[in-house]
Every structure is written in C-alpha cells, then in structure tokens.
Amino acid sequence: MSEDHTHVQEFFGARAADWDRKFPDDGPAFTTAVAESGLRPGERVLDAGCGTGRALPALRAAVGPAGTVLGADLTPQMLAAARRAGRDAAGTLLLADVARLPLRDGVLDAVFAAGLIAHLPDPEANLRELARVVRPGGRLALFHPIGRAALAARQGRELTPDDQRAEHNLRPLLAGSGWDMTSYADEDARFLALAVRRA
C-alpha cells in the first residue's frame, strides 16, 4: 500500500465515526446533485469514494429497484459507518481503491464521486480508471456540497489558480482521461461538474 493510501486511510479512518455529525446539512445537496446527474431507472452506478454512503439512498432512488448501486471506498471505518447508518440497504459496499476497481470494462452507466478528486494520488490515471468501468456515453458527476471558494475558506487556505477543480484545469484533465465535460457549476452551496464518457 502506498503512502498516499496510508495517508487517506489514516485521515478518513480517524474521522469516520463523527463524519456525518460534522456535516449534518449536506443531505439536500447530495440529493440535488444526484438528480442533476441524469440517472435513469435500471441503470448501474458507482459511488466512487463513497465514504459513509451519504449519496447511496439518493442513487438508489434514482435507479430504482431494478438498478444497481455500488459504493466503493478505501477506508474500512467509513464503510463501517455507512453500515451503521443503514445505507448498505441502498447499495453494495466494496472495500476497494478507485485506482484499481474490481469491475469489468464498461459495466457501469455512471459514476458519482463526492469530494473524491482532491484525494486522488494520480488524478488523470484515476479518472481514466473510472472511464474504463463506464460504457461509452456513460456519465461522471464530480460533486462537493460546497463550492471551491467556500471549501478553501473552511480549510483556512487561499483559492489558487492551480486548483485542479477550477474549470480551466478540470476540463483538460477530464479530456485527457476519456471524459468530455458537459456542465460545470462552482457556487457557494455546491460544486458539480458533469462529464460524458467518450466513445
């Protein structure tokens, strides 16, 4: 396991038990983002870096009982918190690295990723792996419950032009990974970038 993985697991593992209590008001933002991601009944979707599974109920509601919902996370404590919250009823939880998913090529219709991109050790390669498991024409939603400026303020840092979630950086990053960005919203109350898997 790389140092990157160890750091991510230590960071989130130590915070898993209190994660949902720390961000109690994010639920509506997750629901809205899932609604805007274009999921249809019967589709197969992965919540990449699902954490405590806050998106899983909304994803299940979007794809319905005939759809498939998977939640993958690298941190066992986060998945345990998802189970304690009962969110495993909405989807199958996988202890897995999004950089090497245990899924066949093109098996999914969509990937939803909340807060993931900032924690990827190799964003281009990791986004390419997400593209691998999505069919051509399938979708990617990169989401955060607050925008870039609000997040920087929360973390006590300056927002800089090299932020990879800035549109001028994210669009070519996605393009180099097999995705075409179709919409971009960076507002105080949410960040949502949508992309389509290139054929």
Side-chain angles (χ1 to χ4, degrees):
M1 182 172 290
S2 74
E3 271 185 37
D4 290 315
H5 291 161
T6 301
H7 172 73
V8 167
Q9 286 181 316
E10 288 174 354
F11 179 88
F12 286 105
R15 291 162 176 79
D18 295 320
W19 192 259
D20 287 353
R21 283 191 294 274
K22 189 173 179 186
F23 306 108
D25 302 322
D26 288 350
F30 274 84
T31 301
T32 299
V34 169
E36 292 181 25
S37 67
L39 289 168
R40 293 182 288 273
E43 288 194 319
R44 298 158 302 200
V45 60
L46 168 69
D47 184 355
C50 68
T52 62
R54 292 181 293 170
L56 296 179
L59 293 170
R60 171 55 65 197
V63 302
T68 299
V69 177
L70 304 173
D73 203 276
L74 189 61
T75 307
Q77 296 94 323
M78 282 290 196
L79 295 177
R83 288 187 190 92
R84 283 194 301 276
R87 296 183 184 127
D88 55 332
T92 301
L93 299 178
L94 306 171
L95 180 61
D97 181 356
V98 299
R100 288 184 306 280
L101 289 164
L103 299 171
R104 295 189 318 273
D105 293 359
V107 72
L108 300 173
D109 297 294
V111 171
F112 184 88
L116 177 70
I117 194 166
H119 301 287
L120 296 176
D122 185 346
E124 186 167 342
N126 302 152
L127 289 167
R128 195 175 301 117
E129 171 66 356
L130 295 180
R132 180 188 68 79
V133 299
V134 172
R135 63 170 174 78
R139 297 166 311 285
L140 171 68
L142 298 175
F143 166 70
H144 200 283
I146 59 176
R148 293 168 50 245
L151 183 61
R154 177 191 284 177
Q155 295 173 342
R157 60 179 174 80
E158 293 292 320
L159 189 60
T160 62
D162 64 348
D163 182 333
Q164 64 186 352
R165 287 168 294 183
E167 186 173 8
H168 65 269
N169 295 326
L170 185 58
R171 188 177 294 277
L173 174 62
L174 286 167
S177 308
W179 300 97
D180 291 319
M181 187 188 294
T182 57
S183 70
Y184 180 90
D186 181 16
E187 304 155 1
D188 281 348
R190 66 156 186 173
F191 175 91
L192 182 63
L194 301 178
V196 172
R197 168 77 160 86
R198 200 175 303 124

Short mmCIF file of all heavy atoms in Angstrom, two decimals, residues 79-146:
data_model
loop_
_atom_site.label_atom_id
_atom_site.label_comp_id
_atom_site.label_asym_id
_atom_site.label_seq_id
_atom_site.Cartn_x
_atom_site.Cartn_y
_atom_site.Cartn_z
N LEU A 79 -16.75 2.68 5.57
CA LEU A 79 -17.75 1.70 5.18
C LEU A 79 -18.50 1.17 6.40
O LEU A 79 -19.72 0.94 6.33
CB LEU A 79 -17.09 0.55 4.42
CG LEU A 79 -16.47 0.93 3.07
CD1 LEU A 79 -15.78 -0.28 2.45
CD2 LEU A 79 -17.50 1.50 2.12
N ALA A 80 -17.81 1.02 7.53
CA ALA A 80 -18.48 0.59 8.76
C ALA A 80 -19.50 1.64 9.21
O ALA A 80 -20.61 1.30 9.65
CB ALA A 80 -17.44 0.35 9.87
N ALA A 81 -19.15 2.92 9.07
CA ALA A 81 -20.09 3.99 9.42
C ALA A 81 -21.30 3.97 8.48
O ALA A 81 -22.44 4.22 8.91
CB ALA A 81 -19.40 5.35 9.37
N ALA A 82 -21.07 3.68 7.20
CA ALA A 82 -22.18 3.56 6.24
C ALA A 82 -23.12 2.44 6.66
O ALA A 82 -24.36 2.60 6.61
CB ALA A 82 -21.64 3.32 4.83
N ARG A 83 -22.56 1.32 7.10
CA ARG A 83 -23.40 0.20 7.54
C ARG A 83 -24.17 0.57 8.80
O ARG A 83 -25.36 0.26 8.92
CB ARG A 83 -22.53 -1.04 7.79
CG ARG A 83 -22.00 -1.68 6.53
CD ARG A 83 -21.29 -3.01 6.79
NE ARG A 83 -20.61 -3.45 5.60
CZ ARG A 83 -19.34 -3.16 5.30
NH1 ARG A 83 -18.59 -2.45 6.14
NH2 ARG A 83 -18.81 -3.58 4.17
N ARG A 84 -23.51 1.23 9.76
CA ARG A 84 -24.20 1.64 10.99
C ARG A 84 -25.37 2.57 10.68
O ARG A 84 -26.39 2.55 11.37
CB ARG A 84 -23.23 2.33 11.96
CG ARG A 84 -22.33 1.38 12.71
CD ARG A 84 -21.63 2.04 13.88
NE ARG A 84 -20.81 3.17 13.49
CZ ARG A 84 -19.55 3.10 13.04
NH1 ARG A 84 -18.97 1.91 12.92
NH2 ARG A 84 -18.88 4.19 12.71
N ALA A 85 -25.22 3.40 9.65
CA ALA A 85 -26.29 4.32 9.26
C ALA A 85 -27.37 3.63 8.42
O ALA A 85 -28.36 4.27 8.05
CB ALA A 85 -25.70 5.49 8.48
N GLY A 86 -27.17 2.35 8.11
CA GLY A 86 -28.16 1.59 7.34
C GLY A 86 -28.10 1.86 5.85
O GLY A 86 -28.99 1.43 5.10
N ARG A 87 -27.06 2.53 5.39
CA ARG A 87 -27.02 2.89 3.97
C ARG A 87 -26.61 1.74 3.07
O ARG A 87 -26.76 1.83 1.85
CB ARG A 87 -26.09 4.09 3.78
CG ARG A 87 -26.64 5.33 4.49
CD ARG A 87 -25.79 6.55 4.27
NE ARG A 87 -26.30 7.67 5.05
CZ ARG A 87 -25.57 8.40 5.90
NH1 ARG A 87 -24.28 8.15 6.04
NH2 ARG A 87 -26.12 9.38 6.58
N ASP A 88 -26.12 0.65 3.67
CA ASP A 88 -25.82 -0.53 2.85
C ASP A 88 -27.10 -1.16 2.32
O ASP A 88 -27.05 -1.96 1.39
CB ASP A 88 -24.99 -1.54 3.64
CG ASP A 88 -25.63 -1.95 4.96
OD1 ASP A 88 -26.39 -1.15 5.55
OD2 ASP A 88 -25.37 -3.09 5.40
N ALA A 89 -28.26 -0.76 2.84
CA ALA A 89 -29.52 -1.24 2.30
C ALA A 89 -29.79 -0.65 0.91
O ALA A 89 -30.55 -1.20 0.13
CB ALA A 89 -30.67 -0.88 3.24
N ALA A 90 -29.13 0.48 0.61
CA ALA A 90 -29.34 1.15 -0.67
C ALA A 90 -28.39 0.68 -1.75
O ALA A 90 -28.62 0.93 -2.94
CB ALA A 90 -29.21 2.66 -0.51
N GLY A 91 -27.29 0.01 -1.37
CA GLY A 91 -26.32 -0.42 -2.36
C GLY A 91 -25.30 -1.37 -1.76
O GLY A 91 -25.18 -1.50 -0.54
N THR A 92 -24.54 -2.00 -2.63
CA THR A 92 -23.48 -2.93 -2.22
C THR A 92 -22.21 -2.14 -1.93
O THR A 92 -21.76 -1.35 -2.78
CB THR A 92 -23.21 -3.95 -3.33
OG1 THR A 92 -24.43 -4.66 -3.60
CG2 THR A 92 -22.12 -4.93 -2.93
N LEU A 93 -21.62 -2.35 -0.76
CA LEU A 93 -20.40 -1.65 -0.37
C LEU A 93 -19.19 -2.51 -0.69
O LEU A 93 -19.16 -3.71 -0.41
CB LEU A 93 -20.42 -1.33 1.13
CG LEU A 93 -21.56 -0.43 1.60
CD1 LEU A 93 -21.49 -0.24 3.11
CD2 LEU A 93 -21.52 0.92 0.90
N LEU A 94 -18.17 -1.87 -1.29
CA LEU A 94 -16.93 -2.54 -1.66
C LEU A 94 -15.75 -1.84 -1.01
O LEU A 94 -15.61 -0.62 -1.13
CB LEU A 94 -16.72 -2.49 -3.18
CG LEU A 94 -17.83 -3.00 -4.09
CD1 LEU A 94 -17.51 -2.65 -5.54
CD2 LEU A 94 -17.99 -4.50 -3.92
N LEU A 95 -14.90 -2.59 -0.33
CA LEU A 95 -13.63 -2.06 0.15
C LEU A 95 -12.68 -2.13 -1.04
O LEU A 95 -12.19 -3.20 -1.40
CB LEU A 95 -13.10 -2.87 1.32
CG LEU A 95 -11.76 -2.40 1.91
CD1 LEU A 95 -11.85 -0.98 2.45
CD2 LEU A 95 -11.29 -3.36 2.99
N ALA A 96 -12.50 -1.00 -1.72
CA ALA A 96 -11.75 -1.01 -2.98
C ALA A 96 -11.12 0.35 -3.23
O ALA A 96 -11.63 1.38 -2.80
CB ALA A 96 -12.67 -1.38 -4.14
N ASP A 97 -10.03 0.31 -3.96
CA ASP A 97 -9.30 1.50 -4.39
C ASP A 97 -9.86 1.93 -5.74
O ASP A 97 -9.90 1.12 -6.68
CB ASP A 97 -7.82 1.13 -4.49
CG ASP A 97 -6.93 2.29 -4.91
OD1 ASP A 97 -7.45 3.39 -5.19
OD2 ASP A 97 -5.71 2.07 -4.96
N VAL A 98 -10.31 3.18 -5.85
CA VAL A 98 -10.86 3.62 -7.14
C VAL A 98 -9.79 3.66 -8.23
O VAL A 98 -10.13 3.77 -9.41
CB VAL A 98 -11.57 4.99 -7.03
CG1 VAL A 98 -12.74 4.91 -6.05
CG2 VAL A 98 -10.62 6.09 -6.65
N ALA A 99 -8.52 3.55 -7.86
CA ALA A 99 -7.45 3.50 -8.85
C ALA A 99 -7.33 2.12 -9.50
O ALA A 99 -6.72 1.97 -10.55
CB ALA A 99 -6.11 3.88 -8.22
N ARG A 100 -7.94 1.09 -8.86
CA ARG A 100 -7.91 -0.28 -9.38
C ARG A 100 -9.21 -0.96 -8.98
O ARG A 100 -9.24 -1.78 -8.07
CB ARG A 100 -6.71 -1.05 -8.80
CG ARG A 100 -5.37 -0.62 -9.34
CD ARG A 100 -4.23 -1.47 -8.81
NE ARG A 100 -4.18 -1.53 -7.35
CZ ARG A 100 -3.66 -0.58 -6.57
NH1 ARG A 100 -3.16 0.50 -7.11
NH2 ARG A 100 -3.64 -0.72 -5.27
N LEU A 101 -10.26 -0.63 -9.69
CA LEU A 101 -11.58 -1.14 -9.34
C LEU A 101 -11.75 -2.60 -9.75
O LEU A 101 -11.33 -2.99 -10.85
CB LEU A 101 -12.66 -0.29 -10.01
CG LEU A 101 -12.81 1.12 -9.43
CD1 LEU A 101 -13.59 2.01 -10.39
CD2 LEU A 101 -13.49 1.06 -8.07
N PRO A 102 -12.39 -3.40 -8.91
CA PRO A 102 -12.61 -4.81 -9.24
C PRO A 102 -13.86 -4.99 -10.11
O PRO A 102 -14.77 -5.76 -9.78
CB PRO A 102 -12.80 -5.45 -7.85
CG PRO A 102 -13.45 -4.36 -7.04
CD PRO A 102 -12.85 -3.07 -7.54
N LEU A 103 -13.89 -4.26 -11.23
CA LEU A 103 -15.05 -4.27 -12.12
C LEU A 103 -14.59 -4.45 -13.55
O LEU A 103 -13.50 -4.02 -13.93
CB LEU A 103 -15.82 -2.94 -12.00
CG LEU A 103 -16.40 -2.59 -10.62
CD1 LEU A 103 -16.93 -1.16 -10.63
CD2 LEU A 103 -17.49 -3.57 -10.22
N ARG A 104 -15.47 -5.05 -14.36
CA ARG A 104 -15.16 -5.26 -15.78
C ARG A 104 -15.24 -3.94 -16.54
O ARG A 104 -15.91 -2.99 -16.13
CB ARG A 104 -16.15 -6.25 -16.39
CG ARG A 104 -16.05 -7.66 -15.83
CD ARG A 104 -16.88 -8.64 -16.63
NE ARG A 104 -18.19 -8.14 -17.03
CZ ARG A 104 -19.28 -8.22 -16.28
NH1 ARG A 104 -19.23 -8.75 -15.08
NH2 ARG A 104 -20.44 -7.74 -16.74
N ASP A 105 -14.62 -3.91 -17.69
CA ASP A 105 -14.67 -2.74 -18.58
C ASP A 105 -16.13 -2.45 -18.97
O ASP A 105 -16.87 -3.38 -19.32
CB ASP A 105 -13.87 -2.97 -19.86
CG ASP A 105 -12.37 -3.08 -19.62
OD1 ASP A 105 -11.95 -2.95 -18.46
OD2 ASP A 105 -11.64 -3.29 -20.60
N GLY A 106 -16.52 -1.19 -18.94
CA GLY A 106 -17.80 -0.76 -19.47
C GLY A 106 -19.03 -1.30 -18.78
O GLY A 106 -20.11 -1.29 -19.35
N VAL A 107 -18.90 -1.75 -17.53
CA VAL A 107 -20.02 -2.40 -16.85
C VAL A 107 -21.01 -1.41 -16.25
O VAL A 107 -22.14 -1.76 -15.95
CB VAL A 107 -19.49 -3.39 -15.79
CG1 VAL A 107 -18.91 -2.64 -14.58
CG2 VAL A 107 -20.56 -4.37 -15.35
N LEU A 108 -20.61 -0.15 -16.08
CA LEU A 108 -21.45 0.85 -15.42
C LEU A 108 -22.02 1.85 -16.41
O LEU A 108 -21.45 2.10 -17.47
CB LEU A 108 -20.64 1.62 -14.37
CG LEU A 108 -20.02 0.80 -13.24
CD1 LEU A 108 -19.13 1.69 -12.39
CD2 LEU A 108 -21.10 0.15 -12.38
N ASP A 109 -23.13 2.46 -16.00
CA ASP A 109 -23.71 3.57 -16.75
C ASP A 109 -23.23 4.91 -16.25
O ASP A 109 -23.25 5.90 -16.98
CB ASP A 109 -25.24 3.53 -16.65
CG ASP A 109 -25.82 2.27 -17.26
OD1 ASP A 109 -25.70 2.11 -18.49
OD2 ASP A 109 -26.38 1.44 -16.51
N ALA A 110 -22.81 4.96 -14.98
CA ALA A 110 -22.43 6.25 -14.40
C ALA A 110 -21.58 6.07 -13.16
O ALA A 110 -21.62 5.02 -12.49
CB ALA A 110 -23.68 7.06 -14.04
N VAL A 111 -20.81 7.11 -12.86
CA VAL A 111 -20.04 7.21 -11.61
C VAL A 111 -20.39 8.53 -10.96
O VAL A 111 -20.41 9.58 -11.62
CB VAL A 111 -18.52 7.13 -11.87
CG1 VAL A 111 -17.74 7.45 -10.58
CG2 VAL A 111 -18.12 5.77 -12.39
N PHE A 112 -20.66 8.48 -9.67
CA PHE A 112 -20.88 9.66 -8.85
C PHE A 112 -19.71 9.73 -7.88
O PHE A 112 -19.38 8.72 -7.26
CB PHE A 112 -22.20 9.53 -8.09
CG PHE A 112 -22.57 10.74 -7.28
CD1 PHE A 112 -23.29 11.79 -7.85
CD2 PHE A 112 -22.22 10.84 -5.95
CE1 PHE A 112 -23.64 12.91 -7.11
CE2 PHE A 112 -22.57 11.95 -5.20
CZ PHE A 112 -23.29 12.99 -5.78
N ALA A 113 -19.08 10.88 -7.76
CA ALA A 113 -17.90 11.00 -6.89
C ALA A 113 -17.99 12.30 -6.10
O ALA A 113 -17.86 13.38 -6.67
CB ALA A 113 -16.63 10.96 -7.72
N ALA A 114 -18.21 12.19 -4.82
CA ALA A 114 -18.34 13.35 -3.94
C ALA A 114 -17.02 13.59 -3.21
O ALA A 114 -16.55 12.73 -2.46
CB ALA A 114 -19.46 13.14 -2.93
N GLY A 115 -16.41 14.75 -3.45
CA GLY A 115 -15.20 15.11 -2.74
C GLY A 115 -14.00 14.24 -3.06
O GLY A 115 -13.00 14.28 -2.34
N LEU A 116 -14.07 13.46 -4.12
CA LEU A 116 -13.03 12.47 -4.39
C LEU A 116 -11.78 13.06 -5.01
O LEU A 116 -10.67 12.70 -4.63
CB LEU A 116 -13.60 11.39 -5.32
CG LEU A 116 -12.62 10.31 -5.78
CD1 LEU A 116 -12.25 9.39 -4.62
CD2 LEU A 116 -13.20 9.51 -6.93
N ILE A 117 -11.94 13.96 -5.95
CA ILE A 117 -10.83 14.33 -6.83
C ILE A 117 -9.64 14.90 -6.06
O ILE A 117 -8.49 14.67 -6.42
CB ILE A 117 -11.30 15.26 -7.96
CG1 ILE A 117 -10.21 15.35 -9.05
CG2 ILE A 117 -11.72 16.61 -7.45
CD1 ILE A 117 -10.69 15.94 -10.35
N ALA A 118 -9.88 15.60 -4.97
CA ALA A 118 -8.79 16.19 -4.19
C ALA A 118 -7.93 15.13 -3.50
O ALA A 118 -6.82 15.41 -3.07
CB ALA A 118 -9.35 17.15 -3.15
N HIS A 119 -8.45 13.90 -3.41
CA HIS A 119 -7.73 12.84 -2.69
C HIS A 119 -7.14 11.79 -3.62
O HIS A 119 -6.64 10.77 -3.16
CB HIS A 119 -8.67 12.18 -1.68
CG HIS A 119 -9.23 13.14 -0.68
ND1 HIS A 119 -8.46 13.66 0.35
CD2 HIS A 119 -10.44 13.72 -0.58
CE1 HIS A 119 -9.20 14.51 1.05
NE2 HIS A 119 -10.41 14.57 0.51
N LEU A 120 -7.17 12.04 -4.93
CA LEU A 120 -6.61 11.08 -5.87
C LEU A 120 -5.11 11.30 -6.02
O LEU A 120 -4.68 12.42 -6.30
CB LEU A 120 -7.28 11.24 -7.24
CG LEU A 120 -8.78 10.93 -7.29
CD1 LEU A 120 -9.34 11.22 -8.68
CD2 LEU A 120 -9.06 9.48 -6.88
N PRO A 121 -4.30 10.26 -5.86
CA PRO A 121 -2.86 10.42 -5.97
C PRO A 121 -2.39 10.72 -7.39
O PRO A 121 -1.40 11.41 -7.60
CB PRO A 121 -2.29 9.08 -5.48
CG PRO A 121 -3.42 8.11 -5.60
CD PRO A 121 -4.68 8.90 -5.43
N ASP A 122 -3.11 10.22 -8.39
CA ASP A 122 -2.78 10.44 -9.80
C ASP A 122 -4.08 10.73 -10.54
O ASP A 122 -4.67 9.82 -11.14
CB ASP A 122 -2.07 9.21 -10.37
CG ASP A 122 -1.58 9.42 -11.79
OD1 ASP A 122 -2.00 10.40 -12.45
OD2 ASP A 122 -0.78 8.58 -12.26
N PRO A 123 -4.57 11.98 -10.47
CA PRO A 123 -5.92 12.27 -10.97
C PRO A 123 -6.17 11.81 -12.39
O PRO A 123 -7.23 11.23 -12.68
CB PRO A 123 -6.03 13.79 -10.83
CG PRO A 123 -5.10 14.13 -9.72
CD PRO A 123 -3.95 13.16 -9.86
N GLU A 124 -5.24 12.03 -13.31
CA GLU A 124 -5.50 11.64 -14.70
C GLU A 124 -5.65 10.13 -14.83
O GLU A 124 -6.60 9.64 -15.43
CB GLU A 124 -4.41 12.15 -15.64
CG GLU A 124 -4.76 11.88 -17.09
CD GLU A 124 -3.87 12.64 -18.07
OE1 GLU A 124 -3.21 13.62 -17.70
OE2 GLU A 124 -3.86 12.23 -19.25
N ALA A 125 -4.73 9.38 -14.24
CA ALA A 125 -4.81 7.91 -14.30
C ALA A 125 -6.04 7.40 -13.57
O ALA A 125 -6.71 6.46 -14.03
CB ALA A 125 -3.54 7.29 -13.71
N ASN A 126 -6.37 8.01 -12.44
CA ASN A 126 -7.50 7.55 -11.64
C ASN A 126 -8.83 7.85 -12.34
O ASN A 126 -9.75 7.03 -12.33
CB ASN A 126 -7.47 8.18 -10.26
CG ASN A 126 -6.18 7.87 -9.49
OD1 ASN A 126 -5.76 8.65 -8.65
ND2 ASN A 126 -5.52 6.76 -9.79
N LEU A 127 -8.93 9.01 -12.98
CA LEU A 127 -10.13 9.32 -13.77
C LEU A 127 -10.23 8.41 -14.99
O LEU A 127 -11.33 8.05 -15.43
CB LEU A 127 -10.13 10.79 -14.18
CG LEU A 127 -10.38 11.79 -13.05
CD1 LEU A 127 -10.04 13.20 -13.49
CD2 LEU A 127 -11.83 11.71 -12.56
N ARG A 128 -9.08 8.01 -15.54
CA ARG A 128 -9.07 7.07 -16.66
C ARG A 128 -9.60 5.70 -16.20
O ARG A 128 -10.30 5.01 -16.95
CB ARG A 128 -7.65 6.93 -17.22
CG ARG A 128 -7.61 6.26 -18.59
CD ARG A 128 -6.21 6.24 -19.17
NE ARG A 128 -5.66 7.58 -19.33
CZ ARG A 128 -4.57 8.04 -18.69
NH1 ARG A 128 -3.89 7.25 -17.87
NH2 ARG A 128 -4.15 9.26 -18.89
N GLU A 129 -9.28 5.32 -14.97
CA GLU A 129 -9.80 4.06 -14.42
C GLU A 129 -11.32 4.14 -14.26
O GLU A 129 -12.03 3.17 -14.55
CB GLU A 129 -9.13 3.75 -13.09
CG GLU A 129 -9.73 2.59 -12.32
CD GLU A 129 -9.57 1.22 -12.98
OE1 GLU A 129 -9.04 1.13 -14.11
OE2 GLU A 129 -9.99 0.22 -12.36
N LEU A 130 -11.83 5.29 -13.83
CA LEU A 130 -13.29 5.45 -13.75
C LEU A 130 -13.90 5.35 -15.14
O LEU A 130 -14.96 4.75 -15.32
CB LEU A 130 -13.65 6.78 -13.09
CG LEU A 130 -13.24 6.94 -11.62
CD1 LEU A 130 -13.67 8.29 -11.10
CD2 LEU A 130 -13.83 5.81 -10.76
N ALA A 131 -13.23 5.94 -16.14
CA ALA A 131 -13.73 5.84 -17.51
C ALA A 131 -13.72 4.39 -18.00
O ALA A 131 -14.62 3.97 -18.74
CB ALA A 131 -12.88 6.71 -18.44
N ARG A 132 -12.75 3.61 -17.59
CA ARG A 132 -12.65 2.21 -18.02
C ARG A 132 -13.90 1.42 -17.66
O ARG A 132 -14.37 0.59 -18.44
CB ARG A 132 -11.42 1.54 -17.39
CG ARG A 132 -11.24 0.07 -17.79
CD ARG A 132 -10.15 -0.60 -16.99
NE ARG A 132 -10.47 -0.78 -15.59
CZ ARG A 132 -11.26 -1.73 -15.10
NH1 ARG A 132 -11.86 -2.61 -15.89
NH2 ARG A 132 -11.47 -1.82 -13.78
N VAL A 133 -14.44 1.67 -16.47
CA VAL A 133 -15.56 0.84 -16.00
C VAL A 133 -16.92 1.37 -16.44
O VAL A 133 -17.95 0.78 -16.12
CB VAL A 133 -15.51 0.67 -14.46
CG1 VAL A 133 -14.22 -0.02 -14.05
CG2 VAL A 133 -15.69 1.99 -13.73
N VAL A 134 -16.93 2.50 -17.16
CA VAL A 134 -18.18 3.11 -17.63
C VAL A 134 -18.31 2.89 -19.14
O VAL A 134 -17.33 3.02 -19.89
CB VAL A 134 -18.21 4.62 -17.30
CG1 VAL A 134 -19.42 5.30 -17.94
CG2 VAL A 134 -18.24 4.82 -15.79
N ARG A 135 -19.50 2.57 -19.59
CA ARG A 135 -19.74 2.37 -21.02
C ARG A 135 -19.57 3.70 -21.78
O ARG A 135 -19.76 4.77 -21.20
CB ARG A 135 -21.15 1.84 -21.25
CG ARG A 135 -22.24 2.80 -20.80
CD ARG A 135 -23.62 2.37 -21.24
NE ARG A 135 -24.65 3.24 -20.69
CZ ARG A 135 -24.97 4.44 -21.14
NH1 ARG A 135 -24.31 4.97 -22.18
NH2 ARG A 135 -25.93 5.15 -20.58
N PRO A 136 -19.22 3.64 -23.07
CA PRO A 136 -19.21 4.86 -23.88
C PRO A 136 -20.56 5.56 -23.81
O PRO A 136 -21.60 4.92 -23.91
CB PRO A 136 -18.91 4.35 -25.29
CG PRO A 136 -18.15 3.07 -25.06
CD PRO A 136 -18.76 2.46 -23.84
N GLY A 137 -20.54 6.87 -23.59
CA GLY A 137 -21.77 7.62 -23.43
C GLY A 137 -22.26 7.68 -22.00
O GLY A 137 -23.22 8.39 -21.69
N GLY A 138 -21.63 6.90 -21.12
CA GLY A 138 -21.98 6.93 -19.70
C GLY A 138 -21.50 8.23 -19.06
O GLY A 138 -20.79 9.02 -19.68
N ARG A 139 -21.87 8.44 -17.80
CA ARG A 139 -21.69 9.75 -17.18
C ARG A 139 -20.85 9.71 -15.91
O ARG A 139 -20.79 8.71 -15.21
CB ARG A 139 -23.07 10.35 -16.88
CG ARG A 139 -23.86 10.59 -18.17
CD ARG A 139 -25.33 10.86 -17.93
NE ARG A 139 -26.02 9.92 -17.06
CZ ARG A 139 -26.39 8.68 -17.40
NH1 ARG A 139 -26.08 8.19 -18.58
NH2 ARG A 139 -27.05 7.92 -16.55
N LEU A 140 -20.24 10.86 -15.64
CA LEU A 140 -19.46 11.09 -14.42
C LEU A 140 -19.97 12.37 -13.78
O LEU A 140 -20.14 13.39 -14.46
CB LEU A 140 -17.97 11.24 -14.77
CG LEU A 140 -17.04 11.70 -13.63
CD1 LEU A 140 -16.93 10.62 -12.55
CD2 LEU A 140 -15.66 12.04 -14.19
N ALA A 141 -20.19 12.33 -12.47
CA ALA A 141 -20.56 13.52 -11.71
C ALA A 141 -19.53 13.72 -10.61
O ALA A 141 -19.36 12.85 -9.75
CB ALA A 141 -21.96 13.36 -11.10
N LEU A 142 -18.80 14.83 -10.68
CA LEU A 142 -17.84 15.20 -9.64
C LEU A 142 -18.51 16.26 -8.79
O LEU A 142 -18.82 17.36 -9.26
CB LEU A 142 -16.55 15.76 -10.27
CG LEU A 142 -15.77 14.80 -11.15
CD1 LEU A 142 -14.59 15.51 -11.79
CD2 LEU A 142 -15.31 13.57 -10.36
N PHE A 143 -18.72 15.96 -7.52
CA PHE A 143 -19.57 16.77 -6.66
C PHE A 143 -18.85 17.13 -5.37
O PHE A 143 -18.00 16.40 -4.88
CB PHE A 143 -20.85 15.97 -6.35
CG PHE A 143 -21.67 16.52 -5.23
CD1 PHE A 143 -22.38 17.72 -5.38
CD2 PHE A 143 -21.76 15.86 -4.02
CE1 PHE A 143 -23.15 18.24 -4.34
CE2 PHE A 143 -22.52 16.36 -2.98
CZ PHE A 143 -23.22 17.56 -3.15
N HIS A 144 -19.21 18.28 -4.83
CA HIS A 144 -18.89 18.63 -3.44
C HIS A 144 -20.03 19.48 -2.92
O HIS A 144 -20.56 20.31 -3.67
CB HIS A 144 -17.55 19.40 -3.35
CG HIS A 144 -16.98 19.35 -1.97
ND1 HIS A 144 -17.47 20.13 -0.95
CD2 HIS A 144 -16.01 18.60 -1.42
CE1 HIS A 144 -16.79 19.87 0.17
NE2 HIS A 144 -15.91 18.92 -0.10
N PRO A 145 -20.44 19.30 -1.65
CA PRO A 145 -21.59 20.03 -1.14
C PRO A 145 -21.38 21.54 -1.00
O PRO A 145 -22.36 22.27 -0.82
CB PRO A 145 -21.88 19.40 0.22
CG PRO A 145 -20.92 18.30 0.41
CD PRO A 145 -19.97 18.27 -0.74
N ILE A 146 -20.15 21.99 -1.09
CA ILE A 146 -19.90 23.44 -1.14
C ILE A 146 -18.89 23.70 -2.25
O ILE A 146 -18.16 22.81 -2.67
CB ILE A 146 -19.39 24.01 0.21
CG1 ILE A 146 -18.08 23.34 0.65
CG2 ILE A 146 -20.46 23.90 1.29
CD1 ILE A 146 -17.48 23.94 1.92
#
